Amino acid sequence: LLEKMADISLKEVALIVGVVAACYWNSLFCGFVFDDVSAILDNKDLHPSTPLKNLFQNDFWGTPMSEERSHKSYRPLTVLTFRLNYLFSELNAVSYHFLNLIFHGVVCVVFLKVCKLFLDNKSSIVASLLFAVHPIHTEAVTGVVGRAELLSSIFFLAAFLSYTKSKGPDNTIVWTPIAVTVFLVAVATLCKEQGITVVGICCVYEVFIAQGYTLPVLLDTAVQILRGKGSIPFSMLQTLLKLIVLMFSTLLLVVVRVQVIQSQLPVFTRFDNPAAVSPSPARQLTFNYLLPVNAWLLLNPSELCCDWTMGTIPLVESLLDVRNVATLTFFCFLGSLIVFSLRYPGDSSKTVLMALCLIVLPFIPASNLFFPVGFVVAERVLYVPSMGFCILVAHGWKKLSNKSVLRKISWVCLTVVLFTHALKTLHRNWDWESEYTLFMSALKVNKNNAKLWNNVGHALENEKNFERALQFFKQATQVQPDDIGAHMNVGRTYKNLNKTKEAEESYMIAKSLMPQIIPGKKYAARVAPNHLNVYINLANLIRANESRLEEADQLYRQAISMRPDFKQAYISRGELLLKMNKPLKAKEAYLRALELDRTNADLWYNLAIVYIELKDPTEALKNFNRALELNPTHKLALFNSALLMQESGDARLRPEAKQRLLSYVKEEPQDANGYFNLGMLAMDDKKDVEAEAWMKKAIRLQPNFRSALFNLALLYSQTAKELMALPVLEDLLRYYPDHTKGLILKGDILMNQKKDIVGAKKCFEKILELDPTNVQGKHNLCVVYFEERDLIKAEKCLVETLALAPHEEYIQRHLNIVRSKIASLSVTEQSSLPADGTATAAAEEKKKSFQNLKEVKNEQKTSQTTADNNKGHSKNKKRTEKNSMEKETPKKSTKEIKDIEKKRVAALKRLEEIERILNGE
């Protein structure tokens, strides 16, 4: 490449690169917008965890080429550069834009070398500068997905430069440059499909430039040969041989490309390209009119738009349409240039011919001539054709500047054009700063494109500005009343605004616009796959109503009947079937979805949830692990698999559970649930200091975290820090005044540690207000009465308590103690009550007390998992209360039994305080 550019001076390179930098420096401040979202943000092929082979199996957007919804745009080398960006800076948009800027600079420099083949030095620099500053290129340079144009252009031009070296001395063939050309054509095509068109340019160059033929000479030779008056010249035979090698290589590339797309063209709707599905003559007239529209954008790039689909350019439906004049004028001008370049010898005609080749041939794939494309006009596809345009302008400027009368005017005009184009480019870059700025700038140019109104709505929706988004979505439905997507957007926004009735009405309108099933005709070929989401959205909406679950299921089944490979329908139906308590059918739905996509971590996760419902924790854990193999940062799989390990009671799983929770809090540092469960794990491992730290962190993030507050207080009470538990319990009861177990624990501490009988009494009375049948609260209130020396009230209280729990022997024993005390006082004999039976009562009560404590700890899991259940709406996210509470208690180890005994001893100490009070000590 350096040898080929040897005649380009460093000053020229510095000038070109400097101009590019001056025009595009502000592109570094732009984000990912429009198609960048699908190609970069949502494309898993960029992630290092995705095998490299996937790049060569998927399309530009990360969709497998075998899937019908694939756009069939096969550009693996471009995606590879995105992956390199991701490797160095992940999703930092600056690095992506910076690399685009560099690639555009490289294209401009290589283009300068190409220009010097056909123009003088000064005109070549003019052409290269005009190409560098032309505003039509902002979509290709500032839009990250435009990198496909940039990369393809580099290898496109390099292939052409290589081919120009294939003519040796005495018109001999040098095969090495031809081999390099074929290789570079293949590379250019793997960057973007239009790269293959350089072969046509090489053919034209060989015949009309390298060999110097004109069309009359070729026709005359052909006539002579056909009449038998002459033979094919040797030089022409050599030319034919080179052309045959080029064409055969091209044919081979085309065959490979067809195999890659599996002989299927992508599915586009009439909204993407209305003319493609229009009848004659509207289709032909509109396609022909689009050619002068593209030419006008090159001539006058004052009004640029990121999206020219739908109603941007109304169909030309009649020969009487005035726009046909523009079409006729364009073809007349183009025809005159073609005649001039092919008929007459000379450098000028050769320059015009190569400029026309650069304009016409690379544009053919986007011209709808051979197959329909998914757009009406796309500014980025003019990147290579604009090279020919710039050569034509520079050549014309040269002709004018050579005339002394027009020299000054030509220089002034050139300066004005370059300066205004550079300013326009600089200003246009700011439009690409965000999706909102981009689509609002497009609406200034064109208000008849419903897609633009929809996209502004999406941008506002992403900012949670649903009210304004709704206005734009509604406007889209007015501009294009039959736009299914617009009505779906209105429905979704109404749903976000909690207006379910209006949302359902909008979804029903969208559903009514869907094509009806025609027997014997494949449905998928007539509708965009994403439009089938109307069934999913409508079903998701109505299934919130428990009485309409069957109706929702019917919608899912209808979507599946239309497209048996509709993966999302199976996923959503699986969620619904779980809600309908049909886990076996849900399992079938997820397994069918996995047949379609075994690399979807969410599917393995959802299947794990099904196995939890089926009471099969072993299989559930296996599926959680599969999800994490595919996506090591799958937050819900990390969290719930850790909970499953924790609940298993297997101490060997705790270290892995802890690691997964640590990974979870790294991904979700603001979610208190992660820290809370780390605290519970630490409590299980008897790491009290660590448990306290995790609980405090959870409470800092969520001050009203019920389970964290209670378990922190419980932790303090179990580690002889009862007084530290009190302020925590105060916070808990401020948020949750009816927290029964919190009230019991607070009353216990006030009575036994603070000797605050009045405060304890209030706690126990509050419990009985909430639940008059609470045995523990009522028994403790009886103890308070005894402490207050109100023996009659204490006796009555214990009798009522015993009626609530007649089988609790410790209550009967305590009642006997109180009655003995009353009997002693009645005979005016003050002595200590007999101690026999006290120890037994204490033993019974300590057992009950421990059970109560254990129940409190279980409450944490219930609260946690119930809260988690609300976190994910689109999938069966977190574990349910039933799953955690119905788990069988595992067999305890010797060490765990000793730990339990220690807890029981601590519980016994508190009970002894009660016994001491009852014994009157």
Side-chain angles (χ1 to χ4, degrees), residues 164-209:
T164 61
K165 306 294 182 182
S166 64
K167 181 181 177 182
D170 301 321
N171 210 22
T172 56
I173 301 175
V174 184
W175 290 105
T176 301
I178 294 177
V180 172
T181 297
V182 171
F183 171 75
L184 291 172
V185 169
V187 174
T189 306
L190 290 174
C191 294
K192 193 179 180 184
E193 298 78 0
Q194 70 181 27
I196 201 169
T197 59
V198 72
V199 173
I201 294 173
C202 290
C203 292
V204 173
Y205 173 84
E206 177 64 33
V207 174
F208 296 100
I209 309 300

Side-chain angles (χ1 to χ4, degrees), residues 137-149:
H137 299 155
T138 50
E139 184 170 337
V141 182
T142 310
V144 177
V145 294
R147 186 177 300 176
E149 315 290 336

Side-chain angles (χ1 to χ4, degrees), residues 213-234:
Y213 295 120
T214 60
L215 190 61
V217 171
L218 286 175
L219 291 174
D220 184 57
T221 304
V223 169
Q224 294 296 327
I225 293 169
L226 289 173
R227 290 179 176 177
K229 294 182 179 180
S231 58
I232 302 176
F234 180 72

Side-chain angles (χ1 to χ4, degrees), residues 451-468:
K451 194 173 177 181
L452 294 175
W453 293 99
N454 279 321
N455 285 335
V456 175
H458 288 311
L460 292 167
E461 188 179 30
N462 292 335
E463 296 171 1
K464 308 299 182 188
N465 192 344
F466 298 122
E467 292 286 357
R468 280 200 68 204

